[in-house]
Amino acid sequence: MENTVEFAKMNGLGNKILVVDMRGRKDMVTPQAAIALNADPETAFDQIMAIHDPRAQGTDAYIDILNCDGTKAQACGNGTRCVVQALASETGKKTFTFQTVAGILNASEHEDGMISVDMGMPRFAWNDIPLAEEFHDTSRIELQIGPIDNPVLHSPAVMSMGNPHAVFWVNSDPMAFDLDRFGPLLESHPMFPEKANITLAQVISDTALRTRTFERGAGLTLACGSAACAAAVSAARTGRTGRTVDIDVASSPVRIPLTIEWREDNHVVMTGPAEWEWAGSVDPVIGTWTRDAAQEQAAL
């Protein structure tokens, strides 16, 4: 077996993604490789999306997801869009079905280049998220940071979108908050035994939100697709918006909103862009890599 595989450096709304082609192999991208890749400024990433041969009948691929600290992630919406774009470029297909540890995801590329991903159904039960304490109403739980009589953040909505999320509602621009300081405290709060993605969300209108996220296992990132889904569902669930909203990801350099639809069948569909940057080869065991000489989009 060759020691190297092909990979692409991509992004979804600025969310830094490495798409690694592990098809035809039995091994996995190791945590050590992920940590080494993230330590290099040229390959630093938020998530690795490793494409494996399908394990379930009727699926196109199994996707293994790693965070930049080497831990496993259950879901990554922005990364899934990158996988769709890469495979669509290679195969000419427009619709895909992926298996992940969080379940089955259906996705499609549209004629305008936008990509829709069915992120599945949100889960609200406290033990499904999971939380360390029982809450009958997870649209608003008792959790705050800051002085008890004047908290900076409080009463988040919590849910699972395949991974745990806490959405704190704020009345001003999420970029104005010191999320890089609060994020680590909230991500690893005892309330979240498996840690959680922490999102600040501001209601712009009944069809628009503005968000910023501290991602579990990745830190303060430029964008997080599953967090956008969690914010949209939480907004509709609490009557702040309708069931379809545009998400302005405040920290993203890409000024294209994500459109999130919480359908009547309870599935959450996210639509947005993906961008190819460059391609190379990587050793999935130790993380050494080389960049392709040709600066053109190459099929994986």
Side-chain angles (χ1 to χ4, degrees):
M1 180 180 293
E2 293 185 5
N3 290 331
T4 63
V5 297
E6 294 181 350
F7 81 103
K9 179 75 163 59
M10 303 184 70
N11 78 79
L13 282 183
N15 202 179
K16 295 177 289 185
I17 303 296
L18 300 183
V19 178
V20 181
D21 185 7
M22 296 294 288
R23 290 171 294 178
R25 299 177 64 112
K26 300 298 184 184
D27 58 337
M28 313 284 280
V29 177
T30 67
Q32 293 79 10
I35 292 169
L37 285 163
N38 189 58
D40 188 323
E42 287 197 66
T43 52
F45 66 92
D46 299 316
Q47 275 81 35
I48 285 176
M49 309 294 290
I51 306 174
H52 291 264
D53 294 322
R55 299 179 181 178
Q57 187 174 3
T59 62
D60 294 288
Y62 179 87
I63 309 298
D64 186 47
I65 309 172
L66 290 88
N67 294 314
C68 59
D69 64 357
T71 60
K72 296 285 189 178
Q74 292 102 326
C76 179
N78 288 329
T80 302
R81 294 201 313 277
C82 291
V83 171
V84 169
Q85 188 189 83
L87 290 180
S89 174
E90 173 195 320
T91 66
K93 289 183 61 174
K94 294 296 184 181
T95 61
F96 298 90
T97 299
F98 302 126
Q99 182 186 10
T100 71
V101 69
I104 301 296
L105 298 179
N106 295 302
S108 59
E109 185 179 60
H110 304 292
E111 290 301 320
D112 62 359
M114 293 293 103
I115 297 164
S116 293
V117 180
D118 182 343
M119 298 289 289
M121 295 184 287
R123 290 180 289 171
F124 304 121
W126 69 276
N127 52 334
D128 286 338
I129 296 170
L131 302 178
E133 299 178 22
E134 181 175 355
F135 284 89
H136 293 293
D137 181 9
T138 52
S139 66
R140 178 186 172 95
I141 70 167
E142 296 175 14
L143 179 64
Q144 67 180 44
I145 193 164
I148 192 169
D149 57 344
N150 187 28
V152 178
L153 301 170
H154 66 90
S155 308
V158 291
M159 71 172 64
S160 171
M161 281 302 310
N163 49 2
H165 287 273
V167 179
F168 290 86
W169 297 104
V170 296
N171 294 322
S172 56
D173 189 344
M175 294 299 289
F177 291 79
D178 197 4
L179 188 56
D180 55 347
R181 183 162 63 92
F182 299 142
L185 301 175
L186 291 166
E187 174 204 28
S188 57
H189 191 281
M191 181 63 73
F192 307 116
E194 296 180 9
K195 298 188 176 182
N197 295 275
I198 306 301
T199 295
L200 307 184
Q202 177 190 19
V203 177
I204 303 301
S205 72
D206 60 1
T207 60
L209 301 175
R210 185 169 166 83
T211 64
R212 188 185 186 200
T213 300
F214 188 97
E215 287 196 58
R216 180 184 65 161
L220 199 60
T221 59
L222 295 178
C224 178
S226 61
C229 293
V233 170
S234 295
R237 190 182 178 206
T238 55
R240 289 175 164 88
T241 68
R243 295 177 72 97
T244 300
V245 295
D246 286 337
I247 306 283
D248 173 18
V249 182
S251 48
S252 173
V254 182
R255 304 321 305 158
I256 300 173
L258 285 173
T259 298
I260 312 295
E261 179 188 6
W262 185 19
R263 298 188 320 210
E264 293 300 326
D265 66 1
N266 203 28
H267 282 244
V268 182
V269 177
M270 172 186 61
T271 301
E275 181 182 11
W276 184 94
E277 297 179 18
W278 51 266
S281 299
V282 63
D283 185 322
V285 177
I286 61 175
T288 56
W289 64 277
T290 57
R291 184 165 172 164
D292 285 356
Q295 295 300 301
E296 299 176 355
Q297 181 165 354
L300 283 175

